[in-house]
Amino acid sequence: MSWVALRMLTGNRAKFMGIVLGVTFAALLIAQQASIFCGLMLMTTSQIRDIQGAQIWVMDPNVQFIDDIKPMSEVELFRVRGVPGVEWAVRLYKGLSRAKLDDGTFQQVILLGLDDASMVGAPSEMIYGSIADLRRPDAIIMDENGYGQLWPGEKFQPGKVFEMNDRRAQIVGLCKARPTFQTFPVVYTRYSQATKFAPPERKMMSFVLANPQPNVPVEEACRRIIDQTGLQAMTNEAFAWKTINYYMLKTGIPINFGITVFLGFLVGTAIAGQTFYLFTIENLKQFGALKAMGAGNLKLLGMIMLQAAVVAFIGYGLGVGAAAFFGHMTGGTSQLAYFMPWEVLWGTGVAVVLISILSSLLCIRRVMVLEPAIVFQG
Amino acid sequence: MATVDKQPAIRCRNLVKEYGSGNSLVRALRGVDLDVYAGELTLMVGPSGCGKTTLLSVVAGILEPTSGEVDVLGTDIARMAQWRKVKFRRDNIGFVFQQYNLLPALTAAENVSVPLILAGVPKRKAVEAAIKMLNQMDMGSRAHALPSKLSGGQQQRVAIARALVHHPQLLVCDEPTSALDAKTGHTIMEILRNVAVEGDRAVIIVTHDSRVLEFGDRIARMEDGHIVSVSPEAATIAAH
Ligand SMILES: Nc1ncnc2c1ncn2[C@@H]1O[C@H](COP(=O)(O)OP(=O)(O)O)[C@@H](O)[C@H]1O
Ligand SMILES: [Mg+2]
């Protein structure tokens, strides 16, 4: 009877599309909002992923996420270097500074100070210039989007000058950087330079970047650093997750997106459920005739579930496809965070299955209790 | 007087059916006694609301009687479990409705094939048999048309083909001509007379159309929840 069920479902094109669109809309809304959420969460870890070259991040034990800077004394660097299994360790400055432009306006920037000797953590993709140019006096490298933010519409000019903390800064290179959560321009410079560009503080060292010796596993090296220095030490990935978890637990972002996703679920259930229910009611006489002719409840149940499954499958495909298309369209052009991991696809699938189960439950009930005798009523 | 040696295909005794309860209680059947014989076309006539459809539904096993005996093809269907009743209907009963009740998304042949599909026949074979059945109804040329493209008379012919395709022992028809004009109704009755009555199949047709009385082997008159007369009496037909 499955072909009969499918023909009943698709017999009226407009109604069939109505039911499918309900599910599509729900899947789109859920997948899209969840992807933006994942994108935002990923964005919080942009700088962890941009600062490459070291496997281990070492920081003050109270640091909760990447932008939570608790400066350490320089002594800690040497203590980390002294931990057996650590091959090398270098300083990293990370903080906010204010750029003063020619026209006298100020703009917040993210300032990164790289170890003068090794330049560990330097940008991996240069658009103009090279890392070595950072050795020149007052030199900084800025990220492409940041440049556009400070000087909108202006073509990149090497050698452009501005001020930070009343000191001259000269742009010697342009690099790519992942969009950050704070959306400020990113400025790379040498550590010694950064301490002059930054507002003066008693302690300046934000992080220590370290690598284990080749025969020592990263986790083992981290554990030894923790044991010997009392600092926090973790892998890039662990630090990224720590940052994500902070935003998940300590901010309203997940709740806001959760509400939108839930609303999408409700609206989808309402639309799909209503259209599917109306569809069943309209076909009640047909179901009654089938029942009279000897189709048992189990068979009719199978037919309705097949119909619901087909609607769910098509609606899911269209909805998730549309969400992916949306991400593709916006991903390249704007700063909008969009990341669709398989968990989003999976979760949307579960939601769609729930929607179709909820929608078909009412229909199933109606058909189960249906008296076949209604077929004789004119 | 000739003896009755024929066993009835349907035997109702003191059959009662009540709808609702309390103030809204409707006594649709008030003690019906009726015998319907195999190989005959029995017409059931009576004014609107007298209980014809109710009686037909009980006999066809799609409505539970309140009390009384109803024996169909040698089985007491009042006491049959639901799932067995479903199978019983599938195997033994053909239905023709006033409103045809064809599935609008299926072609004529596909509609006719449904009882065979329900019985587990593969679709291709079922549709083949359906087309053969439609040919008998002079509907072969419209076998692949959707119901919406057919006239009322044509749709009813498709419905009759569907009711007969699995060769049921019992055919029940509720007002099969009352949605049709007189001439078409007459044709439908001829088809039922010529095609449906075959072997030892029992055919019951409910109607309030007095113009079709000539087609019945036997006329059961109903009034107010009772069978008031059956003519000719069982003995008379059995005698010739
Ligand atoms: N489902 C029902 N609920 C309550 N009353 C019903 C129902 N079906 C029929 N009746 C009542 O039972 C009586 C017999 O109805 P029915 O068998 O349809 O008569 P007929 O087919 O002869 O016109 C009528 O009074 C009708 O109103
Ligand atoms: Mg009636």
Side-chain angles (χ1 to χ4, degrees):
Chain A
M1 290 299 280
S2 41
W3 64 271
V4 177
L6 294 181
R7 293 281 282 281
M8 276 173 84
L9 177 66
T10 56
N12 186 327
R13 287 282 153 78
K15 296 226 170 73
F16 175 55
M17 265 155 59
I19 306 171
V20 168
L21 277 184
V23 178
T24 303
F25 180 72
L28 169 63
L29 207 57
I30 292 171
Q32 192 225 37
Q33 290 297 314
S35 297
I36 293 178
F37 174 72
C38 290
L40 275 181
M41 286 298 112
L42 199 63
M43 206 184 232
T44 64
T45 68
S46 289
Q47 294 206 297
I48 301 174
R49 287 177 296 136
D50 270 353
I51 295 171
Q52 290 181 357
Q55 295 179 46
I56 299 174
W57 287 73
V58 185
M59 66 206 86
D60 183 275
N62 294 318
V63 168
Q64 302 190 65
F65 60 106
I66 176 78
D67 295 318
D68 179 26
I69 307 296
K70 304 226 158 69
M72 300 173 284
S73 128
E74 302 272 331
V75 177
E76 305 291 3
L77 174 65
F78 301 102
R79 294 180 62 203
V80 173
R81 281 180 180 162
V83 173
V86 171
E87 185 165 44
W88 51 256
V90 297
R91 4 167 125 71
L92 178 75
Y93 174 84
K94 174 170 158 39
L96 292 177
S97 184
R98 286 199 309 169
K100 186 182 176 209
L101 309 185
D102 283 347
D103 59 3
T105 58
F106 287 96
Q107 165 78 54
Q108 290 265 21
V109 297
I110 297 170
L111 186 60
L112 292 172
L114 311 176
D115 176 58
D116 288 51
S118 66
M119 297 280 183
V120 169
S124 55
E125 202 177 332
M126 294 297 295
I127 295 168
Y128 177 88
S130 74
I131 312 288
D133 295 335
L134 274 188
R135 301 198 188 285
R136 289 165 25 198
D138 307 333
I140 66 117
I141 292 173
M142 189 175 281
D143 80 297
E144 185 189 18
N145 291 327
Y147 189 90
Q149 239 173 298
L150 291 187
W151 297 283
E154 255 183 55
K155 246 191 97 198
F156 173 67
Q157 290 171 293
K160 202 169 176 71
V161 172
F162 62 97
E163 275 182 24
M164 282 187 287
N165 198 27
D166 295 331
R167 296 189 71 101
R168 180 176 178 274
Q170 186 170 34
I171 303 180
V172 298
L174 206 59
C175 69
K176 276 208 185 298
R178 293 185 167 88
T180 64
F181 200 60
Q182 294 167 313
T183 70
F184 298 141
V186 183
V187 170
Y188 288 90
T189 185
R190 275 172 289 125
Y191 187 89
S192 56
Q193 194 81 45
T195 53
K196 292 170 192 152
F197 285 143
E201 279 188 81
R202 198 164 53 83
K203 295 188 264 183
M204 295 300 281
M205 190 174 68
S206 319
F207 295 99
V208 171
L209 299 176
N211 243 23
Q213 282 167 354
N215 56 343
V216 180
V218 191
E219 282 81 10
E220 173 62 21
C222 290
R223 219 178 33 248
R224 289 189 201 164
I225 295 171
I226 295 168
D227 286 350
Q228 292 211 9
T229 63
L231 298 169
Q232 264 192 110
M234 62 194 87
T235 63
N236 295 338
E237 199 184 330
F239 193 30
W241 277 113
K242 188 179 173 71
T243 298
I244 288 175
N245 284 337
Y246 171 83
Y247 279 95
M248 297 271 266
L249 294 174
K250 301 285 171 63
T251 70
I253 300 168
I255 295 178
N256 285 330
F257 277 90
I259 290 171
T260 314
V261 166
F262 184 68
L263 283 181
F265 180 78
L266 281 191
V267 170
T269 309
I271 299 179
Q274 195 181 345
T275 42
F276 195 51
Y277 186 65
L278 281 180
F279 164 79
T280 308
I281 296 301
E282 275 164 27
N283 287 324
L284 220 48
K285 209 103 199 251
Q286 301 182 32
F287 282 117
L290 289 174
K291 229 172 175 176
M293 289 190 287
N297 270 345
L298 216 59
K299 195 152 262 174
L300 297 179
L301 177 77
M303 288 175 72
I304 296 178
M305 296 214 314
L306 176 68
Q307 291 171 341
V310 167
V311 167
F313 189 76
I314 298 176
Y316 173 79
L318 289 179
V320 164
F325 182 71
F326 173 87
H328 184 73
M329 293 307 284
T330 55
T333 54
S334 75
Q335 293 275 80
L336 191 68
Y338 204 88
F339 176 52
M340 195 190 257
W342 64 267
E343 285 92 344
V344 167
L345 300 179
W346 196 84
T348 308
V350 169
V352 165
V353 167
L354 269 179
I355 288 175
S356 44
I357 288 177
L358 287 176
S359 318
S360 51
L361 269 185
L362 273 180
C363 306
I364 288 169
R365 214 196 94 82
R366 275 303 286 262
V367 172
M368 294 298 102
V369 302
L370 179 68
E371 285 287 345
I374 66 148
V375 289
F376 280 145
Q377 282 154 22
Chain B
M1 196 169 163
T3 51
V4 181
D5 54 357
K6 222 170 170 181
Q7 276 293 94
I10 297 172
R11 189 170 175 277
C12 303
R13 287 296 175 271
N14 200 21
L15 197 58
V16 174
K17 174 65 192 180
E18 294 168 350
Y19 292 108
S21 61
N23 272 343
S24 62
L25 184 92
V26 179
R27 303 194 69 202
L29 301 180
R30 309 174 172 220
V32 168
D33 296 323
L34 177 68
D35 290 331
V36 173
Y37 291 92
E40 289 186 13
L41 195 161
T42 302
L43 281 177
M44 204 146 58
V45 295
S48 179
C50 71
K52 305 181 298 291
T53 296
T54 303
L55 179 55
L56 199 65
S57 305
V58 171
V59 160
I62 57 177
L63 195 63
E64 301 281 334
T66 306
S67 67
E69 273 175 51
V70 49
D71 201 283
V72 181
L73 309 172
T75 321
D76 180 359
I77 61 163
R79 266 174 275 283
M80 202 185 266
Q82 263 318 315
W83 68 271
R84 297 195 57 171
K85 225 188 257 186
V86 170
K87 185 173 168 1
F88 183 82
R89 291 199 300 265
R90 188 170 73 210
D91 295 343
N92 300 303
I93 304 181
F95 289 87
V96 175
F97 314 102
Q98 181 181 341
Q99 294 301 333
Y100 329 127
N101 281 331
L102 299 172
L103 302 183
L106 267 50
T107 65
E110 288 168 340
N111 263 292
V112 173
S113 76
V114 165
L116 294 175
I117 302 283
L118 283 173
V121 177
K123 186 184 174 192
R124 251 189 43 171
K125 275 186 132 178
V127 172
E128 262 169 38
I131 291 174
K132 222 176 262 172
M133 200 71 225
L134 282 170
N135 283 331
Q136 280 191 54
M137 312 269 150
D138 270 345
M139 282 291 293
S141 61
R142 309 305 317 266
H144 301 294
L146 290 174
S148 57
K149 297 278 181 285
L150 301 175
S151 70
Q154 289 174 324
Q155 288 190 55
Q156 195 59 301
R157 277 193 268 176
V158 173
I160 293 169
R162 176 176 69 177
L164 296 175
V165 73
H166 56 311
H167 304 291
Q169 287 270 82
L170 171 63
L171 178 70
V172 295
C173 315
D174 193 19
E175 316 250 10
T177 62
S178 57
L180 304 170
D181 61 72
K183 190 164 163 287
T184 314
H186 202 268
T187 315
I188 291 295
M189 285 307 289
E190 276 174 350
I191 287 173
L192 283 169
R193 173 79 255 174
N194 298 334
V195 182
V197 185
E198 170 199 278
D200 57 358
R201 176 181 298 143
V203 179
I204 311 178
I205 300 176
V206 161
T207 180
H208 61 240
D209 186 353
S210 53
R211 291 166 305 187
V212 303
L213 291 185
E214 54 180 297
F215 292 100
D217 291 315
R218 211 182 290 273
I219 318 287
R221 289 181 193 280
M222 211 175 165
E223 246 169 58
D224 219 8
H226 295 279
I227 299 287
V228 289
S229 72
V230 178
S231 61
E233 304 253 347
T236 330
I237 283 190
H240 65 233

